[in-house]
Amino acid sequence: MRVRRLHPWPSSVAEAESIQDRLRGHVELTGPTGFALVAGLDVHYHGDDAVTAAVVVLDGSTLTPVEQVVAEARAAFPYVPGLFAFRELPALIDALEQLTVTPDLLVCDGYGLAHPRGFGLACHLGVLTGLPALGVGKTPFIGTHEPPGPERGAWTPIVYEGATVGRALRTRRGVKPVYVSQGHRISLDTATDEVLRLAARFRLPEPVRHADHLARHPS
């Protein structure tokens, strides 16, 4: 698949923030509700700057693997809170462009609207690819939320500066929630439903679990 090159890679914090502010206006918060092919994306760090990006595409109905790819690189951008995507995007784009199939949904290990500038990794990847995308984080990043109920499927809104930017979602009874946010071309209801559907057995959605394992063990 092809990924649009909508900006050069930044060399400074100011350039990176400007890119996020400019592309944020391209985010769409509605889209399809069914997805035939679902891709999980994750990045694993080896030391400080060496990264392995993994993309695993699953059949949306059976959750069986369809295709998987990896790309290795060195993170060229420093670690700055809110700009973490710029460390991971080059390798993730290299991996996506190796795919012979085009996913219908990107499930990112990270955040979308739940981001200080409302433009996390899931938003960025969604805008660059034009594909529906959502973010699912393991820990809260911004905003406040009440603990969701203990049962599977319970959720509470994540609120940041007076706006709802995501949901804390319980995917397993009595297990810590995950943090869901829209990336691009998807509603918050659909993003929540998809994360719950894709996390049928474990806390994290299957596409992200597969991508995490592949990024850690690419051989």
Side-chain angles (χ1 to χ4, degrees):
M1 62 172 287
R2 296 296 301 275
V3 178
R4 297 177 292 179
R5 307 297 171 129
L6 298 181
H7 60 79
W9 295 117
S11 58
S12 70
V13 168
E15 290 176 1
E17 291 178 346
S18 177
I19 289 169
Q20 289 180 332
D21 291 339
R22 175 168 58 85
L23 294 186
R24 185 173 59 237
H26 294 265
V27 171
E28 301 172 19
L29 300 180
T30 60
T33 58
F35 308 96
L37 295 176
V38 180
L41 299 89
D42 199 8
V43 171
H44 181 64
Y45 286 79
H46 311 272
D48 292 334
D49 295 319
V51 300
T52 299
V55 180
V56 179
V57 181
L58 303 184
D59 181 289
S61 298
T62 64
L63 301 186
T64 56
V66 173
E67 187 175 13
Q68 61 183 37
V69 294
V70 296
E72 297 185 346
R74 297 199 70 82
F77 197 83
Y79 173 72
V80 179
L83 300 178
F84 205 61
F86 291 99
R87 291 177 61 81
E88 302 187 349
L89 276 168
L92 285 169
I93 289 171
D94 286 347
L96 284 167
E97 290 190 326
Q98 294 179 47
L99 290 176
T100 63
V101 299
T102 299
D104 300 295
L105 174 65
L106 305 179
V107 181
C108 306
D109 178 18
Y111 305 90
L113 292 186
H115 178 273
R117 275 173 296 282
F119 197 77
L121 177 65
C123 297
H124 210 140
L125 279 168
V127 169
L128 293 181
T129 61
L131 298 173
L134 65 86
V136 55
K138 304 180 190 72
T139 57
F141 183 30
I142 62 163
T144 59
H145 68 280
E146 296 295 326
E151 69 277 8
R152 170 176 159 83
W155 60 264
T156 55
I158 301 170
V159 178
Y160 180 64
E161 296 184 342
T164 296
V165 296
R167 289 174 179 169
L169 172 66
R170 193 85 65 185
T171 55
R172 300 285 294 169
R173 182 175 182 86
V175 174
K176 290 189 299 183
V178 296
Y179 302 90
V180 180
S181 55
Q182 295 157 274
H184 182 54
R185 294 187 58 210
I186 194 168
S187 71
L188 185 53
D189 282 344
T190 299
T192 304
D193 291 345
E194 281 300 297
V195 170
L196 193 62
R197 183 181 71 85
L198 295 168
R201 297 187 299 157
F202 300 97
R203 179 185 176 223
L204 293 176
E206 286 298 303
V208 171
R209 290 185 66 252
H210 280 259
D212 173 77
H213 184 270
L214 181 61
R216 293 174 183 273
H217 310 283
S219 58

